[in-house]
Amino acid sequence: MNLDWGIIWDSRDALLQGAAMTIMLTVVTMALAVPGGMVLALMRLSSNRIANGVAVAIVEFFRNLPLILVIYWAFYVMPMALDVQFSAVTTALVALVLNVSAYNSETFRAGINSIRKGQMEAALAMGMSRRQAMFKVLIPQAARRILPVLASTWISLFKDTSLVSVIAVSELAYASMQVRAQSFRVLEMLTAMAVIYWLMGYPQAKLVDWIHRKYGVKE
């Protein structure tokens, strides 16, 4: 077998740009999906049936579809439905944010519901409104339980960004496959892609472990 590992060095610019795009997609998606998930969670916890029903429909729809199908839907269907043409990066972000927001919603809802009902009752007894009790009593306590789960979601999101390569977003997987197609160096490029993903993912995984140890709640 004739291997040419020099192709990795020769393609370093494309690989680094792809890695940067992967990081950007992860950061922007989570920055939007955290408030998105919080809004959906509060809607699901609301006594308003319309708000609750809308949130349930959104969460159950996107949580139970494969992410790659959501990506294809956003790329092919959304522009026709809205009569607007989006860039591949914008389309990828829309699909990722919708998917992760649905999961974050359940994370927030579970965290809030894990707080004993007596906390809400005590806050109401002190004269707080339900809104004040939610934001000043329940959510601050729930944050400690939610943070480790959000950290794990971050790791999953980081790896799932590779799926947007199917719509030609130039993240790491797409950049690697482009070099592979042009050079016919399959083993070298797949190995390089795996190593780069591992080098970026391992420190994040260790950070998640630390967050679980520091902020995990044991009862």
Side-chain angles (χ1 to χ4, degrees):
M1 182 181 294
N2 182 24
L3 299 177
D4 180 15
W5 297 106
I7 188 66
I8 299 173
W9 178 254
D10 294 338
S11 307
R12 62 188 181 279
D13 289 340
L15 294 174
L16 289 174
Q17 289 173 10
M21 176 62 75
T22 293
I23 294 171
M24 186 278 289
L25 288 171
T26 305
V27 171
V28 174
T29 297
M30 191 58 89
L32 296 174
V34 166
M38 176 60 76
V39 169
L40 287 171
L42 293 176
M43 288 172 66
R44 290 203 67 175
L45 293 169
S46 171
S47 57
N48 186 303
R49 290 187 177 182
I50 296 177
N52 182 276
V54 170
V56 169
I58 293 172
V59 170
E60 294 304 326
F61 182 79
F62 288 105
R63 194 171 59 133
N64 291 290
L65 284 180
L67 176 55
I68 195 167
L69 180 59
V70 177
I71 293 169
Y72 277 128
W73 181 87
F75 189 71
Y76 291 108
V77 178
M78 191 172 65
M80 291 188 294
L82 301 179
D83 195 26
V84 176
Q85 189 63 46
F86 297 100
S87 68
V89 173
T90 300
T91 302
L93 285 172
V94 169
L96 291 170
V97 168
L98 288 172
N99 179 265
V100 179
S101 292
Y103 281 97
N104 283 352
S105 169
E106 293 302 277
T107 298
F108 286 126
R109 190 166 70 95
I112 293 170
N113 283 336
S114 70
I115 305 301
R116 294 184 179 89
K117 292 183 179 180
Q119 298 283 337
M120 172 64 81
E121 294 170 355
L124 295 175
M126 292 175 63
M128 290 186 181
S129 66
R130 289 189 64 86
R131 179 184 176 85
Q132 290 174 322
M134 179 68 72
F135 284 95
K136 293 184 178 181
V137 179
L138 268 65
I139 291 179
Q141 293 184 69
R144 185 180 178 90
R145 303 169 185 236
I146 291 168
L147 185 58
V149 183
L150 287 180
S152 296
T153 301
W154 172 284
I155 296 296
S156 296
L157 169 62
F158 169 73
K159 294 181 290 185
D160 287 344
T161 56
S162 61
L163 293 174
V164 303
S165 62
V166 299
I167 57 173
V169 175
S170 298
E171 44 70 64
L172 180 56
Y174 182 81
S176 301
M177 291 299 97
Q178 287 294 99
V179 175
R180 176 199 63 82
Q182 294 165 7
S183 65
F184 302 102
R185 293 295 174 179
V186 179
L187 188 151
E188 293 93 326
M189 293 316 302
L190 290 179
T191 301
M193 181 169 62
V195 169
I196 294 171
Y197 268 116
W198 188 88
L199 288 174
M200 292 195 298
Y202 182 76
Q204 297 179 63
K206 292 294 100 180
L207 177 60
V208 169
D209 290 342
W210 177 81
I211 290 174
H212 273 279
R213 288 194 302 270
K214 184 173 181 61
Y215 296 103
V217 176
K218 298 181 178 63
E219 291 186 351

